[in-house]
Amino acid sequence: MSFTSIQCSDHGKMQLLLKFQNVTNVYYGYYTFDPSTTLIGEGEWDSKANRWCAVACRILNFSTSLADAFAGDCSIKLCWRFPATFSVANRYPVVGQMWSNETVKDFGYFDKIKFWGHNDALPGVKYKYGVRGSVRKPCESKTRKHKGKRYPNPYSSDMRFDMSIKNIKGQKAHGYSSPLFVGDKRFNSPFHLYGDSYMLKANRTENAVQLDSTQSPLQNISYTMRFTPSVSFELGGENISSKAVDIFAEGTYNNETGHLCMMGCRYVTQSGAEVYKNGSMDCEIQINIQLHPLTGKGNEEIKGTIESTRARSDPLYFGKLDLVSSSIYVEQANESIWRMDLEIVIVLVSNTLACVFVGLQLFHVKKQPEVLPFISITMLIVLTLGHMIPLLLNFEALVTNHNRQSVFLGSGGWLEVNEVIVRVVTMIAFLLELYLLHMTWSARYSDDNPKGLWVSEKKVIFVSLPMYISSGLIAWFIHQSRKSHRSPFLRQGHLGYTVPANQLARYQPVSFWGDLKSYAGLILDGFLLPQLLFNLFFDSSVEALSRSYYVGTTIVRLVPHAYDLYRAHSSAWNLDLSYIYANPRMDFYSTAWDIIIPFSGLVFAVFIYLQQRFGGRCILPKRFRGTPVYEKVPTVGTIEL
């Protein structure tokens, strides 16, 4: 039911249209004018009784034309009020009833109808705690203060969270929990508490009431909890598939231990059961929830239980429900936003330096063009393809990754502009590598070149190509394994982010092109391998690569891994959505790879330095260096003979 005001006077009198329509979500339902389900009402606000009462009339004689319609049958009365006090049994901002003045035998008679509204509560509404007294004592005895750990402020938005519910049969449901009152203060919520879908973005600031250090750590708190099963779900023997379950709870929250302990009430449909005093609620439900600390580990979750305190023989008894939530805190989201901004700066600087180092190599070969034939063409092809693949796959990355990041973290403008700059810089590096490849290819065909260059290049291909193919197959098998083991469900959370939030990336459908981009990054990390093999096979000691080029490019490729190691040890919590530069799912970033890859890259750079100084085979033991080097001796004259 909704109403539209037609006319409102200064004395509290109002004319309105009352509309009735079957819709799933009253906030997004589109109401069309239907005379058969619309009433015309006129009423007045009673300030003493704090209610608005009206007389409503049906619309008659509209079958042929609305021009002939008129208001009649004004036997319908209705009143609604705005409660000044909320409780566990009544927490609706608007409640009322509608009835007919006709007798049971008269046409148009209907029984009394109760209704309630989900509008925002008026200012000054208070909350009356009633069930809390029976649960406070056991909560105090079960919780202990954890030294060095901080837990969410009870007035902060961190107290809201999406949740997954599982019963004793393993059946799952999904929902949300949100405070209604904390102490005597209304919880500042940016969305309605009773709808079916909400949107929430992480903000850089948190407007929460600051706790007084002298205040007791125990805070009275009331909660609204709702979960809806998507498949068959049993609660106390009753199949409640696709039916939303609302639990209104109240109890205490200990901000030193992060423990929520509450007693809850839910509406029931069973008849003849001994329930709450109003005869329609079961208020013998105990709820225990343990929030994870603000500075906790990355995989920590909010965990809890929902249990019935009734006897097993009671018709309203239900088995224990396990509650799990991976929702993130605002402080953690802000940290991820800051880290993402830092990563953007790092990636811009790194890509710019990569262009500078390629430019220094071009300057090196301009001064010494005779070294061009001794540069491995395989290495240059690897570098060129390594820069080209991310550019080709950038559209797919923007569609699947950028939208998700910008919507959640609210950094779309800054992120989008810098992504364009990064792609432009990457394109410049690609063109410079392509130009260097063209120069090397042209110089290799010169007649003045020593023999055996192409033979050594073929040997490099014969050795490196099977390595690249085999490692590519391994990466493909890893992709298939991750694809087959991904989460069977992925749904949109009530608070605007996907559940579970801090593990979102691992539950996203694994993209083959994303793994291809990751594999290209791994090949780029070892870009010096073909040059090392070429120097080895040709036994070259020519300084084909400038030190600034191979050392600088190596450092650029290793910076992401060094940064990932720093991030892993400097912060206990990471949000997958914030990874732009060094994502553990991309480019083989993990603690093991972050050690192996930098070590291998540095070893390759040292080997190149030794080869260009002492010869290509100097890194091998003497017995494996091939043809011995003979010393020149003085020529013996014939006279002496």
Side-chain angles (χ1 to χ4, degrees), residues 1 18 20 39-44 46 49 51-58 73-81 95-104 106-115:
M1 180 180 71
L18 287 171
F20 298 84
L39 302 177
I40 297 177
E42 184 177 86
E44 183 179 9
D46 187 347
R51 67 178 184 177
W52 190 87
C53 292
V55 175
C57 307
R58 300 179 190 269
D73 187 14
C74 300
S75 61
I76 302 173
K77 303 292 183 67
L78 68 150
C79 289
W80 67 64
R81 62 186 179 87
V95 294
Q97 57 185 358
M98 182 186 302
W99 68 94
S100 173
N101 263 1
E102 303 288 349
T103 62
V104 178
D106 293 334
F107 176 77
Y109 172 83
F110 57 88
D111 292 330
K112 184 178 291 186
I113 299 172
K114 291 182 178 181
F115 58 83

Side-chain angles (χ1 to χ4, degrees), residues 432-607:
L432 292 175
E433 293 286 359
L434 189 63
Y435 179 60
L436 181 60
L437 174 62
H438 170 72
M439 293 178 63
T440 304
W441 188 281
S442 301
R444 184 68 67 85
Y445 278 97
S446 175
D447 296 333
D448 299 333
N449 293 331
K451 297 180 180 180
L453 290 175
W454 282 110
V455 175
S456 298
E457 195 70 55
K458 290 179 181 179
K459 291 180 180 179
V460 171
I461 295 174
F462 290 152
V463 173
S464 59
L465 189 60
M467 294 174 59
Y468 293 150
I469 293 176
S470 59
S471 56
L473 289 175
I474 293 174
W476 182 80
F477 281 122
I478 294 175
H479 163 80
Q480 292 298 112
S481 175
R482 288 163 53 194
K483 183 178 179 180
S484 61
H485 288 88
R486 71 173 182 263
S487 176
F489 64 91
L490 186 67
R491 64 187 297 277
Q492 181 70 20
H494 289 281
L495 301 185
Y497 49 83
T498 307
V499 181
N502 72 333
Q503 299 171 356
L504 177 62
R506 81 174 65 169
Y507 291 112
Q508 290 290 331
V510 182
S511 168
F512 172 76
W513 302 110
D515 279 346
L516 179 60
K517 182 179 178 181
S518 175
Y519 176 66
L522 177 65
I523 299 301
L524 270 180
D525 289 337
F527 76 100
L528 286 176
L529 179 62
Q531 184 66 46
L532 190 152
L533 293 175
F534 180 83
N535 292 341
L536 188 66
F537 292 133
F538 193 73
D539 196 17
S540 172
S541 61
V542 177
E543 192 175 352
L545 303 180
S546 66
R547 296 178 187 176
S548 58
Y549 174 65
Y550 68 81
V551 173
T553 305
T554 298
I555 294 175
V556 167
R557 293 304 308 171
L558 302 187
V559 165
H561 300 281
Y563 173 73
D564 190 51
L565 278 175
Y566 160 76
R567 177 173 53 193
H569 290 84
S570 63
S571 176
W573 189 91
N574 288 306
L575 175 64
D576 286 340
L577 292 175
S578 69
Y579 287 114
I580 293 179
Y581 190 41
N583 192 331
R585 298 179 70 250
M586 304 294 291
D587 297 335
F588 295 86
Y589 290 94
S590 66
T591 302
W593 283 106
D594 286 338
I595 296 175
I596 295 173
I597 292 177
F599 178 77
S600 301
L602 292 175
V603 169
F604 287 168
V606 171
F607 282 175

